Amino acid sequence: MRRRLVKDVIKGQSVLTLPPEATVGEAARRMKASKVGSVIVVAGGGVTGIFTERDALFRVLAAGLDPEATPLAKVMTGSVTTVAADSTLLDALHLMHEGEFRHVPVLQGGVPIGIVSIRDALGNELEDFRHELQRKEELTEIVG
Ligand code: AMP
């Protein structure tokens, strides 16, 4: 299948969510156990943030914060770009490119049901994406 839908990509995935009060240390252990690179932070049934391995490195480790004393609320990104389950993986890739991040939570009825990461796109979509970017660059050159 050339254009995969995100709901097919995340099939069978269990979504990792934690409340904003959870510590970075707890998040890191859960990420390790689940072998994932991000946590969706939820509060009141909705998505309130995202915390990724990059945040652990830049906002915690590099900043000299204590992971066991730092709540996710302090170091997460609060404004989260999400994608609907019926979107294509290519749509999600465009969002990642524009937002300069590598994870996009998938929502169904406002509830997170999974997360797509750049790693999910190592097949056909990456090729399509490269072509589209190239076309965009060519058009920008023509238009100025
Ligand atoms: P990443 O490349 O996914 O590890 O994330 C790079 C930065 O973007 C980190 O500060 C993340 O918290 C943030 N980030 C990751 N995914 C998203 C997203 N879907 N919406 C908004 N910010 C994000």
Side-chain angles (χ1 to χ4, degrees):
M1 200 196 308
R2 195 143 178 87
R3 295 270 164 123
R4 282 183 290 165
L5 298 178
V6 293
K7 69 178 171 199
D8 296 322
V9 173
I10 61 164
K11 214 172 249 172
Q13 201 186 81
S14 57
V15 58
L16 178 56
T17 60
L18 281 173
E21 314 75 68
T23 65
V24 168
E26 188 181 347
R29 288 186 285 277
R30 296 285 299 277
M31 286 157 80
K32 183 181 179 200
S34 305
K35 296 189 178 124
V36 294
S38 64
V39 180
I40 302 173
V41 185
V42 291
V47 175
T48 187
I50 185 164
F51 177 79
T52 73
E53 50 208 359
R54 183 159 300 201
D55 297 320
L57 189 63
F58 290 0
R59 295 180 184 168
V60 183
L61 199 60
L65 296 181
D66 176 358
E68 302 305 333
T70 305
L72 290 179
K74 197 172 163 189
V75 287
M76 68 186 191
T77 298
S79 174
V80 187
T81 299
T82 60
V83 75
D86 283 324
S87 308
T88 64
L89 183 54
L90 194 55
D91 292 331
L93 267 180
H94 276 287
L95 293 174
M96 290 182 209
H97 179 68
E98 274 155 27
E100 296 183 349
F101 41 68
R102 296 163 296 174
H103 301 88
V104 184
V106 183
L107 298 193
Q108 198 157 48
V111 176
I113 57 166
I115 194 153
V116 283
S117 94
I118 194 101
R119 276 207 204 112
D120 294 317
L122 293 177
N124 293 331
E125 283 85 1
L126 193 56
E127 216 172 285
D128 286 354
F129 183 58
R130 280 213 194 97
H131 283 137
E132 285 191 17
L133 273 189
Q134 202 178 339
R135 230 176 39 211
K136 229 187 214 176
E137 276 163 20
E138 282 166 6
L139 277 176
T140 311
E141 263 175 39
I142 292 166
V143 176

